[in-house]
Amino acid sequence: MLKLNKKITPLSLAERYKNNGYIQIENILASPDAQQLHEKFARQKEWNMAFRKLGAHQDLSYQSYLQWPEAHKKTLKSYLDDSAKREFQYCYQNIPIFDLCHNKQCHVALFNSIYQFVNSSDFLNFARELTNENKIDFADCQMTFYQSGNFLNLHDDNVKNKGRIAAYVINLTKNWKPDDGGDLSIEKTLSGKKIISSLPPTFNSLNIFSVPQDHQVNRIKDHSNLKRYAITGWLRQS
Ligand SMILES: O=C(O)CCC(=O)C(=O)O
Ligand SMILES: [Fe+2]
C-alpha cells in the first residue's frame, strides 16, 4: 500500500490553497514508495498515446507507434504541432487506471495499488482538509507519461456532470530542469492582467488546483530526454 508522508499536515496548508486556488506540496509520498513507483513507471512498456484528430480524441498503442516508419512519425508530429497553434490539442501517453480498476477485477498490482491509494481514507481525508471540500467522495486516476514534443494545451478541466471539485497531480519526474519544459502553468486574470504561475514537475510533489481553472502542460522541448511521469486525476463528488 502506498503511503502519504505523515509529516505533512493538510490543515496548515488549507489557507494557501484557499487564497491561490492551487498548491504544490513537496515530499508527498513516503520516500521509498515514490522511488519504487518511479521504477515501475520507467519499466512500463505499453501506454495509450492520446491526441486529437479533426477535433476528436484518439488513442493509439504507443508500442505500435514506436514501430512506425520515421516519415510517418514526422507527419503526425507536424500535424500535431500545426493543430496545437490553431485549436485545443494534446499529445501524451496515459493508462486509464480508474476505468480499468473501477467495478472490475484488475490483475495488475501497480494499477490496483494506485487506485487503492488515491481512494484510501488517508488520501481523501487529506484532500478534503486541504481543500475544505467535504463533498469529495472519490478520486479517479490515470498514469501519464510525457516526453519530448508532448504537451497539453490550455483547458479548464470542467466537464459537465463529472463532479470534479479539484484536479491533482502526483509528480514522479526525476532530474527536471527549466530548460526541459513540461511545467504546469496555471493562468488567472486579475484586474484585466494575465497572471501565470508555473509549477515544476518536482519529483514526489503533489499539485492540487480547484476546477474550473485555466492551465496547460507546457511542451517538453524537442532536445530534452525528460520522462515526465505522473499520477493525475480529479477529486470528485458522486
Ligand atoms: O500533468 C499535469 O500536470 C496536468 C494534467 C492535466 O491538466 C490534465 O490531464 O487535465
Ligand atoms: Fe487539466
Side-chain angles (χ1 to χ4, degrees):
M1 181 69 175
L2 297 166
K3 287 176 297 307
L4 281 173
N5 174 355
K6 287 277 180 256
K7 290 197 186 123
I8 301 170
T9 48
L11 279 178
S12 68
L13 302 166
E15 182 81 6
R16 232 164 76 207
Y17 175 85
K18 187 174 161 200
N19 291 339
N20 297 333
Y22 70 87
I23 193 164
Q24 180 169 64
I25 305 170
E26 295 198 356
N27 298 311
I28 188 67
L29 299 175
S31 170
D33 290 4
Q35 299 294 342
Q36 282 174 21
L37 264 181
H38 178 269
E39 284 161 25
K40 289 177 183 163
F41 270 64
R43 280 203 297 269
Q44 178 68 32
K45 294 275 180 287
E46 185 56 298
W47 299 84
N48 298 325
M49 192 174 159
F51 57 92
R52 288 168 74 82
K53 192 170 160 194
L54 305 175
H57 177 86
Q58 308 284 319
D59 269 325
L60 193 75
S61 148
Y62 179 62
Q63 283 301 321
S64 9
Y65 166 81
L66 291 179
Q67 305 301 318
W68 284 12
E70 284 311 309
H72 201 148
K73 289 184 189 164
K74 255 191 173 158
T75 307
L76 177 61
K77 181 170 164 37
S78 309
Y79 171 78
L80 295 172
D81 289 355
D82 183 51
S83 142
K85 289 179 200 139
R86 290 181 282 105
E87 59 196 344
F88 179 52
Q89 183 57 275
Y90 46 77
C91 181
Y92 61 93
Q93 290 59 244
N94 79 348
I95 302 177
I97 293 186
F98 184 75
D99 301 342
L100 296 172
C101 297
H102 188 58
N103 291 334
K104 292 185 218 86
Q105 284 276 318
C106 170
H107 298 291
V108 182
L110 172 63
F111 301 172
N112 267 319
S113 65
I114 293 171
Y115 175 82
Q116 301 286 347
F117 170 67
V118 298
N119 285 291
S120 65
S121 47
D122 270 10
F123 187 73
L124 293 178
N125 283 335
F126 181 97
R128 288 175 189 125
E129 286 183 9
L130 177 73
T131 60
N132 196 25
E133 295 278 16
N134 271 322
K135 48 187 196 285
I136 292 173
D137 293 315
F138 69 102
D140 63 16
C141 49
Q142 56 173 341
M143 289 167 62
T144 65
F145 161 41
Y146 291 66
Q147 60 184 344
S148 66
N150 288 161
F151 61 92
L152 167 55
N153 270 0
L154 198 69
H155 64 287
D156 68 5
D157 281 349
N158 200 11
V159 179
K160 223 177 150 194
N161 298 327
K162 289 255 187 192
R164 292 174 173 176
I165 294 170
Y168 72 91
V169 182
I170 300 173
N171 289 293
L172 296 166
T173 304
K174 289 223 169 158
N175 303 322
W176 178 83
K177 306 180 292 314
D179 188 40
D180 288 314
D183 49 323
L184 171 69
S185 297
I186 297 186
E187 293 197 12
K188 281 193 209 336
T189 305
L190 286 179
S191 321
K193 237 180 95 188
K194 199 168 12 164
I195 314 274
I196 302 181
S197 314
S198 162
L199 303 184
T202 307
F203 182 67
N204 200 13
S205 66
L206 169 72
N207 299 336
I208 298 199
F209 51 99
S210 58
V211 173
Q213 200 164 175
D214 284 343
H215 60 283
Q216 66 183 358
V217 178
N218 291 309
R219 163 193 285 276
I220 302 198
K221 305 278 175 60
D222 286 336
H223 66 257
S224 167
N225 291 320
L226 195 76
K227 309 274 184 232
R228 184 191 194 270
Y229 296 125
I231 298 167
T232 70
W234 291 275
L235 298 152
R236 289 169 59 179
Q237 180 173 25
S238 299

